[in-house]
Amino acid sequence: MGTQSEPWFKPLAVAIRAAIEAGDYFRSRIDSVGEVKTKSSPSDLVTDVDPECERRIRQHIAEAFPEHDVLGEETTEPGSEASAEATAKAANAQHLWIVDPLDGTTNFVQGLPLSVVSIAYAEAGKLCVGVVYDPYRQELFYAVRGMGAYRVSASQASDFANGQSTSLPGEKLQVANEKELRACVVATGVPTRGEARAWTTEAAFKMVGKVKSFRALGAAALQLAYVAAGRLDAFWEYDLNAWDLAAGVLLISEAGGIVREIGGKPYHLGVRNVVAAGRDDVVEGIDAAVQIPDALRG
Ligand code: IPD
Ligand code: CA
Ligand code: CA
């Protein structure tokens, strides 16, 4: 029996094909970005390429699953409140796709090759499939609920999505096993909203002294995929949107790691402040240091 008769095969194949098309497209545009506009703040950027990537992804989904809902960054009003509201409305849909067509727009605008496509598929709020695609390295990370997380080349992923292989392809992902925070390489991101930037400054100040090293790669979904792959030991960030997180969250949990809301609550699609790591001890250590100070909370 091949994988093609499995219920998750079609959503996974659609996510892979859509991610590769959108990612390869934005990569082809890195030297020809048109006008750069700002959205909710001067550091919340959008180019002509972002919505075109979402349009292409939506087309794949609509052709395969015309009845499914899509929550996409470029078709949601900008800003944290609007995004939280749209997510709350969509979260319990029976069939929901959660799409960041180009995660790492600032990197893209700067010509830094650190941007990915992030696509997740959820049923009644439960993540079932997640794909993060890095077109610069032609490296695709995917996860299927209950089946594990994998890293695969774009060409292997395409062959699989086109029905040319019978088992899940690629190298199985396993999170890092590091238990001591001081031995960890920990990543974060710089939020676009002023208030969350203040939280980040406070937390980063505390964290730098506690860890082996510190990174901010400018693409949340890429950093989550790297936690799943054990390339980063841990990650935390404030004020992320559902589309920054969903695919990466499934990658990490299927690779044996932990993702939860800062403050200890379990992850759900509406979570915006997250901490993720391979091991519980590390999650606890970061959580204790990056709790949003009451004085800074809105
Ligand atoms: C951003 C990136 C960045 C994170 C920001 C996100 P975008 O997404 O993931 O790493 O720090 O909070 O908004 O706008 O490039 O899709
Ligand atoms: Ca994003
Ligand atoms: Ca984006």
Side-chain angles (χ1 to χ4, degrees):
M1 274 297 278
T3 49
Q4 286 172 56
S5 56
E6 301 287 349
W8 46 259
F9 176 79
K10 196 173 162 192
L12 177 60
V14 168
I16 289 173
R17 281 194 222 105
I20 292 177
E21 183 183 337
D24 288 352
Y25 171 71
F26 78 61
R27 182 188 170 168
S28 77
R29 293 286 316 275
I30 193 163
D31 294 321
S32 62
V33 184
E35 192 190 352
V36 180
K37 295 186 184 150
T38 58
K39 297 199 284 184
S40 61
S41 80
S43 43
D44 187 8
L45 307 182
V46 66
T47 69
D48 60 311
V49 179
D50 304 60
E52 174 58 17
C53 288
E54 183 166 325
R55 191 191 67 73
R56 289 172 185 230
I57 293 165
R58 280 178 171 270
Q59 204 168 341
H60 280 271
I61 298 168
E63 273 165 21
F65 300 110
E67 73 287 7
H68 288 193
D69 292 321
V70 180
L71 176 66
E73 178 172 14
E74 303 309 329
T75 42
T76 300
E77 284 296 309
S80 307
E81 285 73 25
S83 149
E85 205 175 298
T87 302
K89 234 184 224 171
N92 291 319
Q94 193 49 42
H95 301 283
L96 179 68
W97 292 78
I98 305 139
V99 176
D100 191 338
L102 199 177
D103 182 52
T105 298
T106 303
N107 286 342
F108 179 66
V109 168
Q110 296 290 120
L112 287 167
L114 286 166
S115 305
V116 292
V117 181
S118 176
I119 301 177
Y121 167 66
E123 288 180 353
K126 218 181 212 188
L127 292 168
C128 299
V129 165
V131 168
V132 171
Y133 175 52
D134 172 354
Y136 302 108
R137 293 170 60 91
Q138 299 270 297
E139 184 171 57
L140 188 140
F141 301 87
Y142 71 90
V144 177
R145 172 175 289 275
M147 307 281 297
Y150 301 81
R151 182 182 75 89
V152 68
S153 70
S155 65
Q156 266 182 302
S158 293
D159 287 350
F160 171 73
N162 295 329
Q164 284 161 37
S165 67
T166 49
S167 56
L168 285 170
E171 170 198 309
K172 201 156 192 202
L173 300 182
Q174 177 65 49
V175 290
N177 198 27
E178 194 47 69
K179 292 187 181 72
E180 299 283 336
L181 193 49
R182 65 171 179 274
C184 287
V185 176
V186 178
T188 190
V190 182
T192 49
R193 197 159 62 115
E195 192 183 37
R197 286 187 162 218
W199 304 342
T200 304
T201 310
E202 286 264 318
F205 184 73
K206 287 190 209 149
M207 286 299 297
V208 170
K210 292 184 191 285
V211 299
K212 180 164 83 181
S213 200
F214 197 65
R215 295 289 182 274
L217 303 180
L222 179 68
Q223 298 188 116
L224 291 164
Y226 282 3
V227 171
R231 293 176 183 172
L232 290 170
D233 296 297
F235 169 78
W236 98 88
E237 188 168 345
Y238 305 109
D239 203 34
L240 287 168
N241 298 302
W243 46 78
D244 300 311
L245 290 166
V249 166
L250 190 62
L251 287 170
I252 293 173
S253 52
E254 287 296 325
I258 302 136
V259 185
R260 66 183 208 201
E261 184 165 33
I262 294 172
K265 293 204 186 113
Y267 169 84
H268 58 85
L269 292 181
V271 164
R272 302 185 62 81
N273 306 312
V274 288
V275 54
R279 293 288 156 260
D280 208 33
D281 323 45
V282 173
V283 166
E284 294 293 342
I286 295 175
D287 195 272
V290 307
Q291 291 274 334
I292 300 162
D294 283 343
L296 291 175
R297 214 186 282 266

